[in-house]
Amino acid sequence: MDKYKNIWRKNLIKTLTLGVFLFLLSFTFEPYNQGQLALVLMLFIGVLSLTVLTGASGQISLGQGALMAVGGYSSASLITHLGASIWIGFLVAFFATAIFGLILGTAAARVSGPYLAGTTLVIALALPSVANRFESVLGGDVGLIVDFGTPPTWISNLIEVGYEQWQLWVVLPVALTALFFISNLMATRAGRSWQAVRDDEIGAAVSGIPVARTKVIVFVVSSAIAGLGGALYGLRGLVGPSVYPVSLSLTLLTAAILGGVGSISGAFIGTLIVVFLPDLIDWAISGLAVSEQLSNYLPALLTGFLLLATIIINPAGVMGAGHRKKH
Amino acid sequence: MNTFISTLITGTANGAIFALAALGLVIVWRGAGVVNFAQMGQAMFTTYIASNLIASGNSYWLAFIVALISGSLLGMIIDLLIMRPLAHKKSSSATKTLAGTIPVIASLGILAILQALAGIFWAGEERGFPTPVNSFYFKNGDGTLPFSAFNLFVIGVVLIVLLSLTYFFTQTGAGLGMRAAALNPEVARLSGIKVSRMRTLSWAISGAAGSLAGLLITPSTNLSPNTLDLILIIAFTAAVVGGLDSPLGAVIGGLILGIGIALVTTYGSPENVFLAILFVLLAVQLIRPNGILGGKQVRRG
């Protein structure tokens, strides 16, 4: 038990340090960069959800963006139709997506092989139809318009807060909570039993771990985290089919793989890469006479090559060395 | 009544195309243990090649044959350059974590690259794709018959392909070798079958089947880098319904989905098609994860 307490305390100190660092850093940023940092943190939560799923079960999901959409829609419809506060929205997004994940996971996560990948891909593609089917609640093609709102008066009386800064201040604590939750989870009995199932199903079953149930639980936790990220992601202005396209799911997967599967710091590095790669490409080709067609598709092309190169050359990802040491 | 019959015939024709795409997935799954999410991306790419050949004045049939050949070549290239090196890689802790999903991720990378390349080379805007025969309903005096020459053409072509594949897999040395290599690579190798060559062959056949499906479906969906994504998930669902490792199951699954989707589109609303696909996919995995005709090895947990 002492060992767990140590890990717990160590993670708490790490998370708080990161939080204070990012908080102080944000004061030196332009509003645009504060928004970018908030975006990184939102997507980081989404990538973390994939890190849990893949790192703990070895499965991948191609529909993590759709799970984010479930979270986004459930919080946005509460905020729009019932006037709930965004914090209630986050809470509801977390649990609603968990329930959704339970239904989905019961069907697909117990089955090994490529079933979960294919099923989640179908869900990602089916999202616009669902939004149209329940247009009165979900807003159809357009979606629901929501935002981060304004800071409460006790903050704005104290200090002047810009919109981007407020956005970051909302996202930061949620992201840190998710980070803290997940880094501890992996060290607990539950997390270890998940890894046991991943590494050797028969061995885990013999040690008394219910394999099928464990796989479903992993998927439920992963879904809930994704829903939380999705709720934040939608608050940037709009919750609609165009905000959570299939490419979002693939971006999250790419970030998780590039950074290093199952590695939390890898998830952060991977997120940084996928967020800033398009900017970097724009900057790199800005001096060259490149056709619009090429510049439109260049980020996707490079991402595809990066993904393929990672999986062929170093499937452990950027944080691969650290990951190997742990084993 | 005419609406119902025409729905059934359109459904059967589309179902035949889905069956072909599903068959492509099943062949690579059996032959190489990979669900190839890039398959319809490859098909999209070769259909663009055909479209460009036709646009520059060549006949439909030349474009047709070139697309099929480039489809099988593309499949072989993917296997030789990417999938075979991946399969031969020594396992490390990371590869162990990812295990069977590595080729899936690789196929997604390939899909992203193919779609981006098609966008860079050809996209701009969606374009149509011609049919070799008339796609309007036959005229019968004043009225029309509830099907077109293109419907018949599609059903006929797919039937020929299915019969030749059946012959190939049951009567020829190469076909039997592929089945042996899929069933038990170790024993197949000991009996002198070149297992990795058989894998490449299954990528080639699947690539050609996917290309054919692309050529036949694009007249009704139009052509853009992403249009065939929908066909991929329909084919995947069809393959799961039939049993991921059963070629006959893939054909049955494809026909079920084709007719089912046609009925939902005609009598329900097109918006419900995705929900119907999702429902079928989840229901099959809950009730019968091995599919209608699948083997027993699917479910472990």
Side-chain angles (χ1 to χ4, degrees):
Chain A
M1 277 323 279
D2 274 355
K3 202 172 142 207
Y4 288 148
K5 233 180 219 163
N6 275 337
I7 294 172
W8 194 86
R9 201 175 297 150
K10 226 170 84 187
N11 282 333
L12 186 66
I13 293 170
K14 266 196 213 162
T15 314
L16 284 179
T17 316
L18 179 70
V20 170
F21 172 70
L22 290 178
F23 181 75
L24 292 178
L25 191 67
S26 78
F27 281 98
T28 68
F29 279 1
E30 300 286 312
Y32 175 76
N33 295 358
Q34 290 169 345
Q36 288 287 84
L37 182 57
L39 178 65
V40 166
L41 289 175
M42 292 167 197
L43 288 178
F44 174 56
I45 300 178
V47 178
L48 265 187
S49 74
L50 208 49
T51 299
V52 172
L53 179 68
T54 311
S57 77
Q59 304 229 53
I60 60 169
S61 155
L62 309 182
Q64 217 64 9
L67 292 169
M68 287 178 72
V70 173
Y73 272 113
S74 42
S75 88
S77 46
L78 268 185
I79 294 169
T80 314
H81 300 300
L82 300 177
S85 85
I86 52 174
W87 303 100
I88 303 284
F90 297 155
L91 209 63
V92 172
F94 184 85
F95 288 108
T97 319
I99 292 168
F100 188 81
L102 180 66
I103 299 168
L104 189 60
T106 309
R110 291 181 305 161
V111 188
S112 56
Y115 290 82
L116 187 63
T119 309
T120 46
L121 181 64
V122 174
I123 290 172
L125 283 163
L127 181 72
S129 327
V130 180
N132 278 324
R133 189 82 183 68
F134 304 101
E135 192 172 353
S136 58
V137 184
L138 303 182
D141 281 334
V142 182
L144 303 166
I145 294 169
V146 283
D147 61 29
F148 281 91
T150 47
T153 43
W154 60 269
I155 295 183
S156 50
N157 283 342
L158 218 61
I159 180 174
E160 197 181 328
V161 186
Y163 181 71
E164 281 81 6
Q165 195 161 24
W166 171 238
Q167 188 173 340
L168 182 63
W169 286 7
V170 172
V171 176
L172 192 57
V174 180
L176 292 177
T177 313
L179 174 63
F180 182 60
F181 173 61
I182 289 184
S183 15
N184 283 320
L185 197 58
M186 290 310 189
T188 60
R189 185 187 167 83
R192 280 155 193 249
S193 70
W194 297 358
Q195 285 156 36
V197 170
R198 177 197 74 199
D199 290 340
D200 182 358
E201 279 189 16
I202 297 170
V206 170
S207 330
I209 299 171
V211 171
R213 201 198 301 162
T214 303
K215 284 183 171 180
V216 177
I217 293 174
V218 173
F219 193 73
V220 170
V221 171
S222 158
S223 304
I225 301 286
L228 196 59
L232 288 167
Y233 194 66
L235 284 182
R236 289 180 315 144
L238 182 72
V239 170
S242 59
V243 180
Y244 306 92
V246 180
S247 56
L248 174 63
S249 303
L250 298 184
T251 303
L252 296 176
L253 181 69
T254 307
I257 303 287
L258 287 182
V261 166
S263 151
I264 290 173
S265 46
F268 194 71
I269 294 173
T271 314
L272 286 177
I273 296 176
V274 296
V275 171
F276 291 109
L277 188 67
D279 289 346
L280 201 66
I281 293 171
D282 274 349
W283 173 79
I285 62 174
S286 59
L288 311 166
V290 177
S291 76
E292 197 185 330
Q293 208 152 308
L294 179 60
S295 61
N296 279 347
Y297 286 96
L298 207 52
L301 185 66
L302 267 178
T303 315
F305 271 119
L306 270 180
L307 189 60
L308 207 54
T310 308
I311 213 74
I312 292 173
I313 299 164
N314 178 22
V318 175
M319 294 307 289
H323 186 231
R324 253 199 300 279
K325 228 186 293 169
K326 258 186 261 168
H327 281 262
Chain B
M1 195 56 204
N2 234 354
T3 320
F4 181 70
I5 294 173
S6 85
T7 306
L8 279 190
I9 293 175
T10 315
T12 311
N14 281 340
I17 301 172
F18 302 154
L20 208 53
L23 198 60
L25 288 178
V26 167
I27 288 173
V28 166
W29 171 249
R30 277 167 53 113
V34 178
V35 171
N36 180 17
F37 284 101
Q39 178 180 278
M40 294 321 284
Q42 296 162 236
M44 174 273 300
F45 208 79
T46 56
T47 310
Y48 261 113
I49 294 177
S51 164
N52 282 5
L53 280 175
I54 294 171
S56 56
N58 293 293
S59 82
Y60 179 89
W61 297 108
L62 178 73
F64 189 85
I65 289 168
V66 170
L68 292 189
I69 293 173
S70 39
S72 58
L73 284 179
L74 192 54
M76 287 168 73
I77 291 171
I78 288 174
D79 182 52
L80 292 177
L81 288 187
I82 296 161
M83 294 301 175
R84 193 188 284 189
L86 276 180
H88 290 189
K89 225 174 143 80
K90 280 207 190 97
S91 66
S92 66
S93 76
T95 54
K96 203 172 142 201
T97 307
L98 287 169
T101 55
I102 285 191
V104 171
I105 297 167
S107 77
L108 288 168
I110 296 166
L111 178 65
I113 291 172
L114 286 175
Q115 290 186 338
L117 284 179
I120 292 170
F121 294 155
W122 303 302
E125 58 200 41
E126 234 181 70
R127 51 169 107 169
F129 191 77
T131 56
V133 292
N134 203 331
S135 60
F136 294 109
Y137 286 163
F138 283 117
K139 284 226 160 45
N140 175 25
D142 295 336
T144 52
L145 290 177
F147 55 92
S148 69
F150 185 58
N151 288 151
L152 297 184
F153 172 75
V154 166
I155 295 174
V157 166
V158 174
L159 212 58
I160 293 170
V161 170
L162 293 183
L163 289 177
S164 11
L165 277 180
T166 312
Y167 178 81
F168 175 75
F169 279 115
T170 52
Q171 306 293 328
T172 64
L176 291 170
M178 276 176 68
R179 283 170 66 192
L183 208 61
N184 192 332
E186 205 61 46
V187 173
R189 194 169 289 126
L190 290 177
S191 8
I193 294 168
K194 299 249 187 314
V195 173
S196 46
R197 202 171 291 173
M198 292 300 149
R199 287 191 169 187
T200 311
L201 192 57
S202 62
W203 277 93
I205 294 175
S206 145
S211 281
L212 182 56
L215 289 169
L216 295 178
I217 200 75
T218 338
S220 49
T221 61
N222 285 345
L223 188 56
S224 83
N226 296 315
T227 34
L228 293 181
D229 289 355
L230 173 61
I231 311 303
L232 175 80
I233 65 161
I234 294 176
F236 176 77
T237 309
V240 171
V241 167
L244 206 43
D245 56 359
S246 157
L248 182 60
V251 174
I252 296 173
L255 289 174
I256 292 176
L257 265 111
I259 294 171
I261 288 173
L263 288 174
V264 171
T265 312
T266 309
Y267 295 102
S269 86
E271 273 166 21
N272 290 342
V273 166
F274 268 111
L275 298 180
I277 295 173
L278 184 58
F279 176 76
V280 168
L281 190 54
L282 290 180
V284 169
Q285 290 178 73
L286 274 176
I287 300 162
R288 204 179 156 81
N290 300 327
I292 299 173
L293 293 174
K296 287 201 177 92
Q297 276 297 310
V298 176
R299 168 167 284 192
R300 295 212 199 95

